[in-house]
Amino acid sequence: LEPSTSMIRVRVILLSLVLALSFSRTSAQTQKLLWYFNSVSNRVSTVADNSNNGRVGSVVVNSVAGAGVAAVTPGYDGGGKAVKFPNRCNNADPTCKHACIQSPDHASLNPGTAAFQFGAWIKCDKNTDLTSDHGSNLVQKGFADQAQWKLQIDNPNGYASCIIRDTTAALYKAQNVTFNVCNNVWNKVYCSRTSTSLQLIINSKVSGSVAVPASFNVNTAGSVVSVGAKNAKVDSDQYHGYMDNVAYLA
């Protein structure tokens, strides 16, 4: 039997809902930055902001020939596009290719004490994309000596973690040390700061949590958003895998 027009329409609607609900946002949260990557060219130079807030991304690379971010198909949902960061090499090697995607500082990306979420879909292989030489910074704003929010894979076993810091660099870290997110399939990995905790959420399940006081102030004003590495310099904690649907909600 062939499906009826109404059945097809229902399936399309359900698929649209699945693709739209990449994050489990609360009713009070809205997308402040959203990168689907579906309109990027190869090589990637700029990334449109699908939240319609103007948080456009720009690729930053080092001076090594061939450094860049590639557009690939399909994306995490079996359609569209995703991006691929440079292949693995030694973090401190000056001949290593480094690349990241950055978006300028904006007040809407500086959460302070408010609840917020951020993360991405990722696909990587711990045998080819990870190394004990360096961690893999996925999505971040700010650095280790200042206010910061960051999602990372900080070891060769593929264990993800979330970090938030205040302006004194005091930090809270939610991590998982059992599930390898670099298992060569797409995984949805994101961080959620609430009034009481910081949570690492993998494929819609809370996979790590730490209590955080409501007064903890993540004031990242002055820092850019950086995706795929903290910057494009030597010792950048370069991520080497695939990425899709980067988002920040608050």
Side-chain angles (χ1 to χ4, degrees):
L1 294 176
E2 294 185 0
S4 67
T5 301
S6 60
M7 290 176 64
I8 293 174
R9 186 177 295 115
V10 169
R11 289 176 183 173
V12 171
I13 291 172
L14 289 175
L15 178 60
S16 298
L17 287 172
V18 169
L19 298 183
L21 297 177
S22 295
F23 288 71
S24 301
R25 63 183 178 186
T26 68
S27 59
Q29 291 180 330
T30 59
Q31 295 162 341
K32 307 300 184 183
L33 178 151
L34 181 61
W35 295 347
Y36 284 150
F37 299 115
N38 289 337
S39 62
V40 295
S41 58
N42 195 30
R43 292 197 169 226
V44 181
S45 58
T46 60
V47 179
D49 178 22
N50 298 103
S51 75
N52 296 318
N53 289 311
R55 308 281 77 81
V56 174
S58 299
V59 171
V60 179
V61 301
N62 66 353
S63 59
V64 176
V69 177
V72 297
T73 57
Y76 84 94
D77 57 357
K81 296 180 183 179
V83 294
K84 171 67 169 66
F85 291 91
N87 292 336
R88 184 177 70 180
C89 64
N90 189 299
N91 200 35
D93 185 346
T95 67
C96 212
K97 298 173 183 177
H98 294 272
C100 61
I101 307 172
Q102 295 187 341
S103 186
D105 179 34
H106 190 270
S108 65
L109 306 172
N110 302 324
T113 59
F116 66 104
Q117 300 180 52
F118 62 97
W121 283 83
I122 64 168
K123 180 182 177 183
C124 46
D125 185 332
K126 78 171 187 176
N127 296 315
T128 57
D129 296 323
L130 300 182
T131 172
S132 58
D133 169 66
H134 65 275
S136 300
N137 290 9
L138 300 174
V139 186
Q140 72 183 87
K141 192 173 192 290
F143 296 97
D145 60 349
Q146 57 188 237
Q148 177 190 59
W149 45 261
K150 178 170 71 169
L151 171 62
Q152 63 182 3
I153 305 167
D154 206 29
N155 60 77
N157 295 313
Y159 302 149
S161 61
C162 302
I163 289 177
I164 55 174
R165 303 176 191 266
D166 66 10
T167 54
T168 71
L171 70 88
Y172 288 91
K173 182 176 184 179
Q175 60 186 334
N176 180 281
V177 292
T178 58
F179 182 78
N180 167 29
V181 297
C182 280
N183 56 1
N184 209 29
V185 299
W186 284 103
N187 292 290
K188 180 176 66 174
V189 187
Y190 67 100
C191 306
S192 177
R193 190 261 169 97
T194 72
S195 61
T196 59
S197 68
L198 173 66
Q199 298 176 335
L200 167 67
I201 303 175
I202 302 174
N203 298 327
S204 302
K205 296 180 180 180
V206 177
S207 301
S209 183
V210 62
V212 176
S215 60
F216 193 74
N217 189 350
V218 188
N219 181 8
T220 55
S223 297
V224 302
V225 175
S226 194
V227 171
K230 62 186 177 184
N231 51 41
K233 302 176 181 179
V234 171
D235 201 25
S236 70
D237 287 332
Q238 179 73 59
Y239 171 61
H240 302 290
Y242 300 87
M243 190 178 297
D244 202 356
N245 279 35
V246 176
Y248 176 96
L249 299 85

